[in-house]
Amino acid sequence: MHRKFAKTPPMGWNSWDCFGAGVTEAQLLENAEYMAKNLKDYGWEYIVCDIQWYEPKAKDNDYFNFTSLNMDEYGRLMPAPNRFPSADDGRGFKPIADYCHKLGFKFGIHIMRGIPRQAALMNTPIKNSKYCARDAAHHFSVCSWNTDMYGLKDCEAAQDYYNSIFEMYASWGVDFVKCDDICVTEFRKWDNPYSAEHEIEMIQKAIDNCKREIVLSLSPGPADIANAKHLAKNANMWRLTGDFWDQWDKLHDMFDKCLLWQDEVKPGNYPDCDMLPLGRLSKNGVCHGPQDRMTQFTKAEQITMMSLWGIFKSPLMMSGNMPDNDEWTLSLLTNEEYVKMHKTSYGARQYYRKEKNNQGEIIWISNGKDCKYAALFNTRNAEAKITLRLNNVLMPGEKYNIYDIWKKESVGEYSNRFAAEILAHGAGLYKITKL
């Protein structure tokens, strides 16, 4: 059933890379309004509030260990009213979700797996259950980088708790949930790296029970390819990497991740390359680069990222503060032919790769309706010519028109081979149509 919730890869905006844990209601709505004005017509539709929305003290990318969280009498985390004023008096995220829906968008939130430690300490009752928080909490299942939660046991009490929070999310009008500390967990002597398998299943069951179409995204990565079938059975998206930031080495690593997962991209199931660190980042604090910066990626590297994410059909989650977009950043997000490829292409594969010391060239190919798509990547530190042998990819001897998707122009007619000069760390993205 869940595969029907996202027939094409989700496209939207996530608050983490620009606001960290400290995002506010005003910032969410400002980005939603920008997206409505500038991106809605191009298929962008999700507004996602990332981590710590329930923490009154959150202000940047850091977490306050064992801090007090905003929680109701049933141990369910609630938006902090000092940051989200419309959530006061038990309204939760419903006012914000309603506003996003009025704009024609869908609304999403981030959660950590499990139950608040604060709820376990107080042993709060679980709504519509005979159990309390301590019956569900697994006190040895904890996150190494965030102290808010205990993982849950594989038991009826745990399922009741997940049912209770997703019932609440459905009443708010939530359309997308990004669940963290669940796709891969740390190696422990008493655990394995996929120890939260039962929690993934319980969350999907809770989504089924709440009767609302909620897209499920699992983080962080890297996901293990050995778990591909289980992930596809229970989620719409799962992360292929840890947090992805605007650094070339992290971008280059994604070629290996996409190659590993290229056969697992299917309607409703999308291996996730993570967010797009474009435009204005880290407004609230230093994180993987200077505070309040424009992306550290060169324009060529931004083209590489967009081209790989697009042809691979990764979900696209813009993560810079969109009202600060310059003309270049906006142009990357409003390319109609690119969005068409991302939504309708299929069967993307690495066609060719030749590198030494992580420098060389990589070519990806995918299928469209009555066309092929080709992405030519130059991973060298200098500009280089890259050649695509058309007679190996398509029918030999035929003539084809090649359209440059980023330049928005035809580059000519070719039969046997096509070559393009590609900037260092850059890419070319092409639509190939038979004449």
Side-chain angles (χ1 to χ4, degrees):
M1 180 65 73
H2 71 283
R3 293 185 181 93
K4 298 179 180 179
F5 299 171
K7 294 182 179 179
T8 59
M11 298 170 59
W13 174 82
N14 180 290
S15 62
W16 171 253
D17 285 358
C18 47
F19 299 115
V23 67
T24 66
E25 178 171 348
Q27 291 162 340
L28 285 179
L29 298 185
E30 189 178 27
N31 275 274
E33 289 160 0
Y34 177 95
M35 198 161 82
K37 181 179 178 180
N38 297 281
L39 300 178
K40 182 179 178 181
D41 292 342
Y42 299 89
W44 299 83
E45 62 175 340
Y46 289 91
I47 296 291
V48 181
C49 180
D50 212 275
I51 197 168
Q52 303 303 115
W53 41 266
Y54 41 80
E55 182 190 334
K57 294 180 181 178
K59 61 180 181 178
D60 51 31
N61 293 75
D62 294 325
Y63 308 119
F64 291 97
N65 290 339
F66 305 106
T67 190
S68 178
L69 308 177
N70 194 38
M71 188 179 75
D72 73 2
E73 67 270 31
Y74 298 110
R76 302 180 300 182
L77 294 171
M78 304 290 288
N82 64 314
R83 294 167 53 204
F84 305 93
S86 70
D88 207 2
D89 294 328
R91 290 187 293 264
F93 273 126
K94 182 170 174 50
I96 294 178
D98 286 349
Y99 186 74
C100 290
H101 296 156
K102 184 178 179 181
L103 292 175
F105 296 141
K106 297 177 180 178
F107 178 67
I109 60 173
H110 172 289
I111 66 171
M112 297 291 292
R113 73 177 174 96
I115 192 167
R117 295 191 191 194
Q118 184 174 308
L121 177 64
M122 299 169 63
N123 201 27
T124 56
I126 297 171
K127 189 176 183 183
N128 296 327
S129 174
K130 62 184 178 182
Y131 299 105
C132 293
R134 290 178 192 169
D135 298 311
H138 188 327
H139 297 85
F140 293 103
S141 180
V142 296
C143 176
S144 65
W145 47 268
N146 185 293
T147 60
D148 293 341
M149 313 292 277
Y150 285 126
L152 294 186
K153 301 171 185 173
D154 189 359
C155 65
E156 184 179 355
Q159 185 65 64
D160 286 350
Y161 181 75
Y162 274 131
N163 289 347
S164 76
I165 63 172
F166 275 88
E167 175 190 57
M168 181 175 68
Y169 301 156
S171 74
W172 290 348
V174 170
D175 307 291
F176 180 105
V177 168
K178 172 186 174 183
C179 185
D180 217 333
D181 191 43
I182 199 166
C183 191
V184 62
T185 56
E186 294 79 8
F187 285 91
R188 307 182 183 99
K189 291 180 180 179
W190 59 86
D191 245 340
N192 63 62
Y194 200 55
S195 62
E197 179 175 355
H198 68 280
E199 292 196 66
I200 294 173
E201 294 172 6
M202 286 193 288
I203 289 171
Q204 188 55 60
K205 186 175 180 180
I207 293 174
D208 293 340
N209 289 338
C210 81
K211 307 300 182 184
R212 184 173 180 83
E213 295 187 354
I214 298 177
V215 170
L216 178 59
S217 169
L218 304 180
S219 291
D224 190 333
I225 192 68
N227 299 319
K229 289 184 179 179
H230 185 263
L231 290 164
K233 184 178 179 181
N234 292 283
N236 300 105
M237 300 164 47
W238 51 90
R239 282 264 297 278
L240 305 189
T241 180
D243 283 2
F244 179 81
W245 282 94
D246 48 334
Q247 298 164 340
W248 170 248
D249 60 337
K250 290 182 177 291
L251 177 52
H252 187 273
D253 285 346
M254 293 311 299
F255 288 106
D256 292 332
K257 306 286 194 237
C258 291
L259 174 60
L260 180 65
W261 286 90
Q262 65 183 6
D263 292 326
E264 306 304 326
V265 181
K266 300 177 177 66
N269 290 146
Y270 305 106
D272 180 13
C273 295
D274 201 12
M275 294 175 283
L276 300 166
L278 294 170
R280 180 71 63 181
L281 307 174
S282 296
K283 288 179 71 71
N284 287 346
V286 175
C287 194
H288 297 273
Q291 182 175 351
D292 199 18
R293 68 181 183 274
M294 293 299 281
T295 183
Q296 297 170 122
F297 281 138
T298 66
K299 288 185 176 180
E301 290 166 348
Q302 292 173 58
I303 290 289
T304 288
M305 177 177 62
M306 291 295 291
S307 298
L308 181 59
W309 270 233
I311 200 166
F312 179 71
K313 292 179 73 75
S314 171
L316 301 177
M317 287 289 169
M318 167 64 178
S319 59
N321 186 45
M322 292 190 292
D324 290 330
N325 282 353
D326 56 16
E327 185 177 341
W328 164 261
T329 304
L330 182 60
S331 73
L332 295 176
L333 307 176
T334 56
N335 185 303
E336 291 180 348
E337 195 64 51
Y338 172 85
V339 171
K340 180 180 178 181
M341 178 196 72
H342 180 252
K343 287 185 177 295
T344 65
S345 64
Y346 61 94
R349 308 193 68 75
Q350 179 180 290
Y351 164 71
Y352 176 79
R353 184 171 185 171
K354 185 176 182 180
E355 289 187 300
K356 184 177 181 180
N357 298 324
N358 289 335
Q359 293 197 49
E361 57 194 63
I362 303 170
I363 298 175
W364 275 70
I365 302 290
S366 71
N367 305 296
K369 184 178 181 181
D370 302 323
C371 69
K372 293 274 189 179
Y373 294 101
L376 280 55
F377 300 99
N378 176 20
T379 59
R380 301 175 182 88
N381 295 330
E383 185 174 335
K385 180 180 287 188
I386 298 180
T387 299
L388 172 64
R389 290 174 172 78
L390 297 171
N391 54 351
N392 290 345
V393 177
L394 302 160
M395 291 295 293
E398 299 284 356
K399 284 190 175 182
Y400 299 91
N401 178 68
I402 296 185
Y403 178 84
D404 188 316
I405 290 176
W406 292 119
K407 292 182 179 179
K408 300 182 179 181
E409 63 184 20
S410 174
V411 294
E413 299 175 4
Y414 297 83
S415 55
N416 294 321
R417 62 178 60 196
F418 165 73
E421 292 286 343
I422 308 294
L423 296 175
H425 295 183
L429 185 63
Y430 306 97
K431 179 180 180 180
I432 306 170
T433 308
K434 183 180 175 181
L435 293 172

